[in-house]
Amino acid sequence: MRRGIAATALVAALGVTLAACGSDSGSDGGGSKSSGELSGTVTWWDTSTVGSEDKVFKKVAEDFKKKYPKVTVKYVNVPFGEAQNKFKNAAQSGSGAPDVIRSEVAWTPEFADLGYLAPLDGTPALKDQGDFLEQAAASTKYNGKTYAVPQVIDSMGIFYNKKMLKAAGVEVPKSIAELKTASATIKQKTGKTGLYLRGDDPYWFLSFLYGEGGDLVDAEQKKITIDGPAGVKALKTVKDLVDSKAAITDATNGWDNMQASFKDGKVAMMINGPWAVSDTFAGKEFADKANLGIAPVPAGSAGQGAPQGGHNLAVYAGSKNLAASYAFAEYMTSAETQATVAKELSLLPTRQSVYIKPDVATNEMITFFKPVVDKAVQRPWIPEGGSLFEPVKVEYTKVLTGQTTPEAGAKAIGDSYRKLLKDWK
């Protein structure tokens, strides 16, 4: 976020301190090398979904010991919604930060700007760097240096219950108009709701914003665009979906409510990403996995536009065990590990070479999402990128619940951005 002179000086000083600490750790591994062999403990903060993804990531992480017997991985699952601030607070205080964090793509430039991440160029963490998808690697770079390793990449699609759509006699909607028509028919024929639209997370709004040809900001021109015509139209679109009863929404507990409603067959469709596949299959409606269908998010007036998301692995600059941390980041993003994760969780790899492996090439969910990811809209990789979501979250929820108008909501977001990005137009 935008900082004043005093805050900038403090962060700069902290960055120097962390860099020095990292340098000391790197010279002898901070106790991580003994006669050339890695040793010690690596603490990893994982932010994956508890009950499905976390089980796989925990096992894979702990298997690191098979390769490096003298290194112990301390696995900690930190709730995604808490991890960003928890890491910043720990890094700023110099106490309690993990050696490696699973960083959402928008967090990486911010953490790097604050001086909290170790540059990875020239380290073992970036082994076979040329194998990474170009769009996945983009979020790992800041000011000409690389501060993370791409772990998974994703985007969004519309998940649908094939049996429910068939019972209602409707096709998978390809546009907003078709979505409204299909939802009305589903309600009439089955008594169920067409779409569950998550209302407490701004990431779910991005497909509608991009679908109208808009964006949060234009980073290249340093221009705020969310409060323009496209932003207003996108907010009108989501509000109309709720007002017309084509969709139901929520103001709290959105993930749990949405997943439960879809898995139990109370709604026919939801917008989600690859991270939801494993949990969705746990629902009674999808005991037969073939009942789950996924298609592009219904297009807005400007066509299809889904956001690029994903996660990176970043190494804390103040780690006392940099050598082992670099090796762990490399291991967790290696082609072998990514192939295992893709097979178990249907998460999209960030390495090109993994897509030709048999278990990945034949995975229906991955083969659907890969073309979506290839065309996904990249978010602005700026330090303030992660902070752009909170104003959207507040106004998006207020618009969906009728507490404000789309016009007022868009203006409020734009006003918040101008306070955050003071030298932007």
Side-chain angles (χ1 to χ4, degrees), residues 106-139:
W107 303 348
T108 303
E110 179 188 18
F111 293 162
D113 182 58
L114 290 169
Y116 297 160
L117 302 183
L120 301 181
D121 300 286
T123 73
L126 292 179
K127 184 178 178 181
D128 298 327
Q129 188 174 2
D131 189 30
F132 289 114
L133 298 171
E134 183 177 346
Q135 65 269 43
S139 69

Side-chain angles (χ1 to χ4, degrees), residues 4-5 171 194 372 398:
I5 295 177
E171 300 292 330
V372 177
K398 288 169 66 175

Side-chain angles (χ1 to χ4, degrees), residues 35-50:
S35 300
E37 186 176 5
L38 294 178
S39 62
T41 299
V42 172
T43 299
W44 178 41
W45 281 8
D46 177 33
T47 60
S48 64
T49 306
V50 173

Side-chain angles (χ1 to χ4, degrees), residues 80-152:
F80 177 78
E82 301 173 12
Q84 182 181 14
N85 286 333
K86 188 173 183 179
F87 178 76
K88 287 194 293 185
N89 291 338
Q92 185 174 30
S93 69
S95 175
D99 298 287
V100 180
I101 182 171
R102 187 181 195 237
S103 169
E104 204 272 345
V105 288
W107 303 348
T108 303
E110 179 188 18
F111 293 162
D113 182 58
L114 290 169
Y116 297 160
L117 302 183
L120 301 181
D121 300 286
T123 73
L126 292 179
K127 184 178 178 181
D128 298 327
Q129 188 174 2
D131 189 30
F132 289 114
L133 298 171
E134 183 177 346
Q135 65 269 43
S139 69
T140 68
K141 302 180 185 300
Y142 179 67
N143 276 356
K145 295 183 179 181
T146 306
Y147 286 95
V149 193
Q151 184 197 28
V152 295

Side-chain angles (χ1 to χ4, degrees), residues 250-424:
D250 52 74
T252 57
N253 299 321
W255 173 262
D256 292 338
N257 295 339
M258 176 177 65
Q259 287 297 109
S261 296
F262 187 66
K263 291 191 296 183
D264 291 344
K266 295 178 181 178
V267 296
M269 297 173 283
M270 67 174 179
I271 295 171
N272 225 320
W275 59 85
V277 172
S278 181
D279 182 65
T280 299
F281 281 150
K284 65 180 184 181
E285 284 290 305
F286 305 100
D288 176 5
K289 294 182 179 181
N291 190 36
L292 176 63
I294 302 180
V297 177
S301 61
Q304 183 62 36
Q308 179 191 322
H311 292 84
N312 304 319
L313 291 188
V315 176
Y316 173 46
S319 169
K320 299 298 192 295
N321 204 347
L322 282 174
S325 297
Y326 295 150
F328 178 73
E330 184 278 321
Y331 163 79
M332 290 297 293
T333 58
S334 67
E336 181 180 2
T337 299
Q338 289 197 22
T340 298
V341 171
K343 178 182 178 181
E344 296 293 328
L345 298 172
S346 294
L347 296 181
L348 274 72
T350 58
R351 289 187 176 276
Q352 302 174 59
S353 61
V354 181
Y355 285 90
I356 63 174
K357 294 182 178 295
D359 287 335
V360 179
T362 58
N363 185 303
E364 184 181 359
M365 300 302 162
I366 291 177
T367 55
F368 165 76
F369 273 110
K370 180 57 166 60
V372 177
V373 164
D374 289 342
K375 297 179 181 179
V377 180
Q378 290 195 33
R379 287 179 276 160
W381 308 129
I382 57 176
E384 300 87 354
S387 300
L388 297 177
F389 282 98
E390 186 58 30
V392 180
K393 177 182 178 180
V394 172
E395 300 303 322
Y396 174 56
T397 302
K398 288 169 66 175
V399 168
L400 287 178
T401 55
Q403 299 175 59
T404 191
T405 65
E407 293 83 0
K411 182 179 184 303
I413 299 170
D415 290 344
S416 295
Y417 284 4
R418 288 180 177 85
K419 292 177 182 178
L420 178 68
L421 305 165
K422 296 186 184 300
D423 57 343
W424 288 44

